Amino acid sequence: MPPAAILDVDGTLVDTNYHHTIAWYRAFRQHDVVLPIWRVHRHIGMGGDQLVKALGGEQLETEKGDDIRAAESVLYRELMSEVEPLEGAHELIEDLKERGHAVILASSAKPHEVEHYLDLLDARERVDDWTTSGDVQATKPEPDLVLAAVEKAGGGDAVMVGDSTWDCEAAKRAGLDTIAVLTGGFSDAELRAAGALVVYSSIEELRESLGETPLAAS
């Protein structure tokens, strides 16, 4: 059997990273914390349970973490209608299924966000399963979400496809190889330093090279 394909969603299949960046920036600002937007972006892909502390420190997490997360949820919901699938995302899922891979969407997004993405990608009947933030206690860069996705695939060999350094780190901690794409706004060098074996400019470029990637291993 070919390895299971564990696909990140935000920034990999749907073009959300900069929407999330703006939502987090505004959520922090509502609570009197003004951060450079570039710093916020460098943390997109990290779960919200980790992000406030990583950007603002332990005291901010303790005092305002839940309020900032609640604000981000509202602010991002207002931007969700602008989100579109990335070119080739739907076709990538079809390609992988045709090649015999189990396909699991490994998202740390909130359940209602994942439901929206499933509709955008027309993926409900095509993928084997999916995760949400509700499936684990700790999200990326902790490995829990990746391990949960592998379990949903039935265990065995699996390969991660992601767009952020946090995807690469979580997969590495879970013992998986990672194929990365540049669609999340992280550089080739950053992704490789975080553990990606190979980096593609887009989903379409990845599709053209599927037979040469770790997903081709049996």
Side-chain angles (χ1 to χ4, degrees):
M1 291 291 292
I6 309 300
L7 307 183
D8 174 63
V9 180
D10 279 287
T12 302
L13 300 180
V14 291
D15 194 8
T16 59
N17 281 18
Y18 294 97
H19 299 78
H20 277 299
T21 298
I22 293 299
W24 278 112
Y25 169 79
R26 291 173 177 171
F28 277 102
R29 194 167 183 268
Q30 280 184 7
H31 291 85
D32 303 315
V33 180
V34 178
L35 298 168
I37 292 180
W38 72 265
R39 280 196 64 220
V40 179
H41 174 257
R42 303 334 278 168
H43 288 76
I44 298 301
M46 175 182 283
D49 57 318
Q50 316 272 346
L51 186 145
V52 175
K53 179 180 176 181
L55 277 168
E58 183 72 55
Q59 183 174 351
L60 183 65
E61 167 60 38
T62 300
E63 294 177 355
K64 299 182 178 181
D66 289 342
D67 292 336
I68 292 172
R69 279 184 284 274
E72 192 274 340
S73 182
V74 172
L75 290 160
Y76 180 69
R77 191 186 287 265
E78 294 171 357
L79 297 172
M80 272 179 49
S81 63
E82 300 175 12
V83 169
E84 296 289 343
L86 285 154
E87 184 177 2
H90 175 86
E91 293 80 4
L92 175 64
I93 294 170
E94 291 189 332
D95 291 346
L96 291 166
K97 292 303 298 179
E98 288 174 4
R99 287 170 172 266
H101 299 276
V103 177
I104 309 295
L105 304 188
S107 176
S108 59
K110 302 169 186 68
H112 74 270
E113 294 173 8
V114 175
E115 292 292 319
H116 181 67
Y117 301 152
L118 288 167
D119 291 338
L120 275 182
L121 293 164
D122 190 22
R124 291 180 187 277
E125 305 303 321
R126 289 175 169 80
V127 300
D128 294 275
D129 212 333
W130 54 85
T131 69
T132 74
S133 59
D135 288 318
V136 293
Q137 292 295 316
T139 57
K140 302 168 190 172
E142 296 300 323
D144 305 33
L145 199 72
V146 178
L147 293 170
V150 172
E151 183 176 350
K152 286 176 181 282
D157 293 336
V159 175
M160 180 81 182
V161 179
D163 68 284
S164 75
T165 55
W166 312 109
D167 296 329
C168 299
E169 180 65 32
K172 181 168 60 177
R173 295 185 188 184
L176 272 62
D177 291 336
T178 301
I179 299 167
V181 288
L182 296 178
T183 48
F186 293 84
S187 72
D188 184 298
E190 289 174 306
L191 293 166
R192 290 181 186 276
L197 288 185
V198 61
V199 180
Y200 293 98
S201 63
S202 65
I203 289 293
E204 289 287 34
E205 186 182 16
L206 168 58
R207 288 182 62 217
E208 293 170 4
S209 305
L210 274 177
E212 304 164 10
T213 71
L215 281 164
S218 59

